[in-house]
Amino acid sequence: MGGKVFTSGPEPLSTPRMTPSVYRSLLDRYLHQLSEIFERVAAPIEAPEKNSFGDIDVIVSGPKTTPFHLDQLATAVTAKRTIVKPPIYSFAVPYPDLEGSSVQLDVQLCKPEDFDWEVFHKGHGDMWNILGPSIRSFGLTANDRGLHLRVPEIERGNKKRSLVLLTADPDTVLDFLRLDKKAYAERFNTVDDMFEFACSTRFFRPEVYVRDGLKANDRKRMAQRDLYRRFVDDFMPTREGAIPRDGHAGELTREQVLEDALDRFGKRDEFEARVKAWRKEREQLSNKQETRERRKAQAMEEEAYANAWINSIQRMAQEAEV
């Protein structure tokens, strides 16, 4: 959350950014403390070249005691203040050797089955913001639930309902994207190393990162995410014609990726059932619309007939008076 949760409101707190040494010292401390409360505890891999940190992010799952109470967590980390926006629990904890200042500790509580994906997907800062436009052009979406395939026919009417979950297994996703698992498991030494890694996916498409052609969400991302902006404005112009493309994304089509994904992940039956249900729903809605339109047309016709009859009676009455 960028370390800003406690800096506003009626009693704002000072949460200055941390140096790398302060950050890592505190991270180690809270990973240890939280491991005494939860079965699984981890911090996502940080983005490279960070010289300061706004907050500490930790992902946890599986409380060792039930029922689990927030007070246990607040006491364990010596929290001065707590803000809860499930699944994120934000704590203002003491800033070492800086009296009157605090550090924002964000603890995300997730289901055991979601733990590995959450840690993976939040790793390397803006990695998935960079990968997103390329894989999106092939009908793929990675979000906080896993890697999804978008059903083209449904996507045109309802993007959320078009998502078919392929997998939430990190290694399987990296294999599918043809990204090096060993490289992803470690923090990149430099930002350029991370950028080169993102470019190595078989789905990489340089043309989707041209500033003038960015979609609205990507333009918004440019303004909010510095690493993404650097990738588009600084890195890509220097790499024109030199991007490695294992698999030649330029020769791939969305239809080919669709067929590959359905077979590889065993999702063909679900895909076809989803399309069938969507078409049935569309047909029912269309029939209802046609019925409404017929009734409306009939009502208008009856109203016109009634008005004509009334006008006729009025004319006859007027003629009789004459």
Side-chain angles (χ1 to χ4, degrees):
M1 295 185 180
K4 302 294 185 182
V5 166
F6 298 101
T7 60
S8 60
E11 297 182 7
L13 297 177
S14 171
T15 57
R17 295 185 68 82
M18 295 166 278
T19 64
S21 60
V22 170
Y23 167 81
R24 292 193 174 87
S25 174
L26 290 177
L27 176 62
D28 289 343
R29 176 195 302 177
Y30 292 121
L31 286 174
H32 173 72
Q33 291 177 344
L34 292 170
S35 67
E36 296 179 350
I37 301 174
F38 297 95
E39 296 290 346
R40 302 190 71 186
V41 176
I45 298 172
E46 306 136 20
E49 298 183 14
K50 292 194 71 169
N51 54 25
S52 68
F53 295 81
D55 60 6
I56 300 173
D57 294 311
V58 178
I59 299 173
V60 302
S61 72
K64 292 183 176 180
T65 60
T66 54
F68 167 73
H69 296 290
L70 178 61
D71 290 345
Q72 295 175 253
L73 196 50
T75 300
V77 299
T78 320
K80 303 181 192 177
R81 195 175 298 174
T82 302
I83 293 179
V84 179
K85 294 183 178 180
I88 306 293
Y89 298 79
S90 296
F91 302 98
V93 298
Y95 197 116
D97 303 321
L98 199 59
E99 187 175 351
S101 294
S102 302
V103 169
Q104 181 179 316
L105 170 65
D106 289 336
V107 179
Q108 178 180 344
L109 178 60
C110 66
K111 298 177 182 178
E113 60 270 25
D114 296 334
F115 181 84
D116 289 334
W117 178 262
E118 287 284 359
V119 175
F120 168 79
H121 187 244
K122 286 183 166 60
H124 304 291
D126 285 322
M127 173 68 77
W128 287 95
N129 282 327
I130 294 169
L131 288 170
S134 279
I135 67 172
R136 189 168 63 227
S137 66
F138 289 103
L140 301 170
T141 293
N143 60 19
D144 59 354
R145 300 297 303 278
L147 180 67
H148 301 258
L149 179 73
R150 301 192 309 278
V151 182
E153 185 174 335
I154 301 177
E155 182 183 9
R156 290 189 288 270
N158 191 315
K159 289 185 178 181
K160 186 175 181 179
R161 289 180 59 185
S162 74
L163 298 178
V164 174
L165 178 64
L166 297 176
T167 182
D169 180 74
D171 284 351
T172 303
V173 169
L174 291 175
D175 284 340
F176 183 62
L177 301 183
R178 292 187 192 167
L179 290 170
D180 188 289
K181 293 194 287 278
K182 184 177 180 180
Y184 195 97
E186 302 291 337
R187 187 186 185 196
F188 293 100
N189 291 325
T190 67
V191 168
D192 278 0
D193 286 345
M194 187 180 86
F195 290 166
E196 292 281 3
F197 177 87
C199 295
S200 69
T201 176
R202 67 176 175 134
F203 296 117
F204 188 73
R205 294 184 63 185
E207 63 269 25
V208 301
Y209 301 99
V210 177
R211 177 183 266 273
D212 292 343
L214 293 178
K215 295 181 180 296
N217 285 343
D218 294 326
R219 291 196 299 273
K220 182 179 179 181
R221 194 172 290 116
M222 286 277 288
Q224 297 176 342
R225 310 298 302 184
D226 184 60
L227 275 184
Y228 183 75
R229 182 201 59 75
R230 288 172 61 183
F231 181 77
V232 173
D233 282 347
D234 302 334
F235 180 79
M236 285 303 299
T238 69
R239 303 296 291 157
E240 187 174 355
I243 300 297
R245 286 185 227 141
D246 180 17
H248 306 288
E251 298 175 7
L252 282 173
T253 66
R254 179 170 179 173
E255 291 72 23
Q256 289 173 327
V257 175
L258 169 65
E259 293 298 319
D260 181 19
L262 292 179
D263 291 337
R264 184 178 303 212
F265 296 101
K267 294 291 182 174
R268 189 170 296 277
D269 288 346
E270 180 181 347
F271 176 87
E272 292 176 351
R274 189 81 67 86
V275 171
K276 182 178 180 180
W278 175 261
R279 288 175 178 173
K280 182 177 181 181
E281 181 182 312
R282 295 294 98 184
E283 182 180 3
Q284 290 173 342
L285 289 173
S286 177
N287 290 339
K288 288 181 180 179
Q289 180 66 23
E290 289 177 2
T291 299
R292 286 196 295 268
E293 290 177 355
R294 282 199 305 270
R295 288 175 177 172
K296 182 179 179 180
Q298 183 178 355
M300 292 176 64
E301 184 178 341
E302 291 174 351
E303 182 180 2
Y305 177 81
N307 289 336
W309 183 78
I310 292 172
N311 290 336
S312 176
I313 295 296
Q314 289 176 341
R315 283 197 301 272
M316 290 174 63
Q318 291 172 355
E319 292 173 356
E321 290 176 0
V322 174

